[in-house]
Amino acid sequence: MRSSGILFPVFSLPGAYGIGCFSEEAWGFVDFLKKAGQSWWQILPVGPTGYGDSPYQAFSTFAGNPYFISPDELHRQGLLTREEVAMACAPEGSIDYGTLYRTRWELLRKAFGRSRHQETDEFVEFKKANAFWLDDYALFMALKDAHGGAPLSAWEKEIRDRESGALKDAREKYRRETDFYEYLQYEFLREWDALRTYARKQGIGIIGDIPIYVSEDSSDFWAHRELFQVDAEGRLCKVAGVPPDGFSADGQVWGNPLYDWDRHEQTGYDWWIRRIAKCRELYDVIRLDHFRGFDELFAVPADEETAANGHWEKGPGMKLFSVLQEKWPDLKIIAEDLGYVTDTVRKLVADTGFPNMKVLEFAFDSRDSTGRFEYLPYNYGKNCVVYTGTHDNETLRGWLDDILPEEVEMVREYFDVRTEDPQEMVDKMIRAAQSSTADLCVIPLQDYLGLDNSARINQPSTTGKNWTWRASREMLTPELAARIRRMTDIYGRLGEQEN
């Protein structure tokens, strides 16, 4: 069935508390989606972020970001006074993660100190259901605090190597701290479940996003080091990256641990089953980032500063997805097959049956003389998801401002734009996505708003300026919802509740 949705990170929601959270604005955005005739809200990973603030480098692939806990909800529960909540207020605008770090944790600790969650059956069940990851995550975070925020690689060997005596002592010493981090995850999930239940009642599904890799500085790597490629001392010998190409002479060194896929296979892919099971609790559809890495992955020596000396290694391929699909025949995954796509990647996507991604901006890249054509709408099938751009791309308006004159002319000619107004090109590209044969169309909110690159979410391979954009309340108008709904209706994508 044809449908459409909007890409809009949780952290980009408007609101009074310095970052988007599960406040009334989140519920209001669900209402906005319904009014706009949408079926889907696509978000970015919701894990607890660390250095660089990237949701793709979280402290845990299972945990949620405590910043998304609503101060208003904590007040409603009687855990914070209105005066204390007011202290969390910040000017609306870009996210200041430094200020959040200095102020939000104090507020959350006050709420924790007054909570009686441990006396409830609900919390007991939560701990039992999430024991696989929660115990390790809570201790990891407590130890990270005890080490002044230093990365795992800088901890003392007996803790880093999880020696039984050292772990036992740490669990006793930091019991109060681990209780705190368990509480945050309980409250995060409780609030998220309420929001997701409301969205479902409004006919809105959630498309979640999970990175293929985990961070080296994470409880996942710490607790399950045997599942990754490490040397005899437990140190990384190779890390994930991207090879040099026409866009980057040095390639990219991501620094993430690489999976030991042979070991995963020996366990029956147990860790992946648990990971996907958790995602199915959180989302209705899962966008699997860097899908080509499941076919082949690019390995870079851990001590290299560039990817020039990296090499390709085989991934698990259909062995992993056969296990997952056998367990969940209705498993809904979107394969993010962007980047350097080979025939073997295309075959893997086809074998899984997952819809892949089409990005309109890529169709007009003059540097890619052949590959760009697969992103032109007349080459789409039905089993795919079309985007104008993703969180890693420029906004449509910013992209039009930056591309080469000959590329602008390609856009103008393809979409029959006869004015000098770049907004007309933005509107026609959105219409091209909506009118395409793709079963699902997802448009970033910034493109519907016609915003330039000041509203860009992420510029890959850069730090210090990403993951900070937020919408204002004034942007989500009834007029915008009506305009989106009209276009959605014209191209046969109205949500089920509208048909």
Side-chain angles (χ1 to χ4, degrees):
M1 175 178 285
R2 290 170 66 79
S3 61
S4 66
I6 292 178
L7 170 57
F8 187 48
V10 172
F11 61 72
S12 292
L13 285 162
Y17 301 115
I19 190 170
C21 63
F22 303 145
S23 61
E24 65 178 18
E25 286 81 9
W27 296 62
F29 184 67
V30 171
D31 294 338
F32 175 87
L33 289 168
K34 182 177 181 179
K35 292 174 185 175
Q38 302 302 288
S39 302
W40 301 99
W41 178 7
Q42 181 172 326
I43 60 177
L44 298 188
V46 295
T49 53
Y51 175 77
D53 312 310
S54 171
Y56 294 88
Q57 296 283 354
F59 291 135
S60 167
T61 191
F62 293 88
N65 192 336
Y67 288 152
F68 295 166
I69 294 172
S70 168
D72 285 330
E73 173 60 18
L74 297 178
H75 171 65
R76 189 194 66 78
Q77 295 178 36
L79 302 178
L80 295 176
T81 67
R82 180 48 63 189
E83 292 73 22
E84 288 168 336
V85 169
M87 294 175 63
C89 291
E92 290 199 39
S94 298
I95 301 167
D96 183 339
Y97 286 99
T99 297
L100 274 175
Y101 183 78
R102 290 190 297 271
T103 60
R104 188 58 51 85
W105 291 101
E106 179 182 355
L107 204 67
L108 293 172
R109 288 182 185 279
K110 285 181 179 179
F112 163 68
R114 298 163 184 168
S115 174
R116 305 186 71 172
H117 61 282
Q118 291 175 316
E119 301 173 9
T120 66
D121 292 340
E122 187 181 37
F123 180 72
V124 173
E125 287 301 313
F126 163 77
K127 284 195 66 174
K128 182 178 178 181
N130 294 275
F132 169 74
W133 64 270
L134 183 64
D135 293 347
D136 289 315
Y137 168 72
L139 183 58
F140 174 85
M141 294 304 298
L143 286 165
K144 193 166 184 63
D145 288 346
H147 287 84
L152 170 63
S153 59
W155 297 1
E156 58 270 30
K157 188 177 187 302
E158 59 270 23
I159 288 292
R160 192 176 67 243
D161 291 349
R162 296 176 60 86
E163 295 179 8
S164 58
L167 285 186
K168 181 181 178 182
D169 291 344
R171 291 188 191 281
E172 290 297 322
K173 183 176 182 179
Y174 300 112
R175 173 59 59 192
R176 182 68 174 172
E177 284 298 297
T178 58
D179 288 347
F180 170 61
Y181 283 105
E182 288 174 355
Y183 162 73
L184 293 181
Q185 291 309 304
Y186 167 72
E187 182 60 25
F188 171 94
L189 187 60
R190 198 190 64 78
E191 292 187 23
W192 174 247
D193 280 348
L195 177 61
R196 186 182 173 203
T197 298
Y198 180 72
R200 279 182 164 178
K201 289 179 178 178
Q202 305 307 310
I204 307 298
I206 304 294
I207 301 175
D209 190 330
I210 64 170
I212 179 175
Y213 297 120
V214 304
S215 170
E216 179 187 7
D217 191 25
S218 70
S219 60
D220 309 296
F221 179 67
W222 181 55
H224 302 284
R225 204 162 58 185
E226 75 280 0
L227 298 177
F228 299 89
Q229 296 189 36
V230 294
D231 61 21
E233 297 298 318
R235 304 280 186 173
L236 296 180
C237 45
K238 290 177 285 188
V239 297
V242 176
D245 56 22
F247 303 98
S248 172
D250 293 330
Q252 297 178 32
V253 180
W254 294 345
N256 302 83
L258 293 174
Y259 299 110
D260 182 339
W261 285 116
D262 289 338
R263 176 62 176 164
H264 280 271
E265 185 177 5
Q266 292 166 11
T267 68
Y269 297 103
D270 177 69
W271 185 87
W272 275 95
I273 289 172
R274 292 176 184 267
R275 186 182 189 190
I276 297 301
K278 182 63 176 178
C279 290
R280 283 169 56 86
E281 292 178 17
L282 299 174
Y283 317 121
D284 299 290
V285 175
I286 303 164
R287 192 198 84 124
L288 196 47
D289 191 57
H290 194 58
F291 191 81
R292 75 142 301 144
F294 293 101
D295 173 55
E296 288 184 311
L297 53 102
F298 197 71
V300 181
D303 57 354
E304 296 279 340
E305 294 185 1
T306 76
N309 293 321
H311 63 274
W312 290 102
E313 297 182 357
K314 289 301 295 180
M318 274 304 297
K319 289 186 288 187
L320 169 61
F321 295 111
S322 294
V323 169
L324 297 178
Q325 290 176 318
E326 181 178 356
K327 185 170 182 62
W328 298 292
D330 63 341
L331 182 61
K332 294 179 174 63
I333 283 179
I334 296 171
E336 193 262 346
D337 60 338
L338 307 178
Y340 180 59
V341 179
T342 64
D343 288 341
T344 56
V345 176
R346 294 186 180 93
K347 184 178 186 304
L348 179 59
V349 173
D351 289 346
T352 63
F354 299 149
N356 64 340
M357 291 177 55
K358 306 293 183 182
V359 178
L360 265 181
E361 288 184 11
F362 294 173
F364 302 93
D365 191 334
S366 60
R367 296 170 297 180
D368 187 357
S369 59
T370 57
R372 67 183 185 84
F373 289 103
E374 68 181 275
Y375 298 107
L376 288 167
Y378 61 73
N379 283 323
Y380 299 172
K382 289 186 176 182
N383 189 33
C384 62
V385 186
V386 58
Y387 298 78
T388 46
T390 75
H391 65 278
D392 282 334
N393 302 127
E394 297 177 88
T395 66
L396 271 183
R397 183 62 185 268
W399 175 75
L400 287 166
D401 289 341
D402 281 356
I403 59 177
L404 298 171
E406 56 265 34
E407 293 170 333
V408 174
E409 188 57 33
M410 289 168 61
V411 175
R412 189 185 304 279
E413 195 167 358
Y414 186 90
F415 296 107
D416 192 28
V417 178
R418 303 187 183 190
T419 72
E420 296 300 318
D421 182 8
Q423 189 58 45
E424 183 181 354
M425 284 189 274
V426 169
D427 292 341
K428 287 201 171 183
M429 289 185 74
I430 292 174
R431 284 186 175 274
Q434 286 277 15
S435 66
S436 74
T437 58
D439 283 338
L440 175 57
C441 171
V442 178
I443 306 295
L445 181 66
Q446 300 97 305
D447 288 347
Y448 276 127
L449 292 166
L451 301 178
D452 62 19
N453 277 338
S454 63
R456 184 173 182 172
I457 297 294
N458 179 49
Q459 185 174 343
S461 300
T462 67
T463 58
K465 58 182 179 181
N466 301 316
W467 323 110
T468 64
W469 179 76
R470 297 178 70 203
S472 67
R473 292 183 179 92
E474 293 73 26
M475 291 177 178
L476 301 174
T477 64
E479 293 76 17
L480 177 63
R483 177 162 62 87
I484 295 172
R485 175 182 166 149
R486 177 60 179 156
M487 189 184 302
T488 304
D489 188 14
I490 288 171
Y491 297 116
R493 297 186 182 275
L494 275 185
E496 290 184 13
Q497 78 281 359
E498 301 288 346
N499 291 332

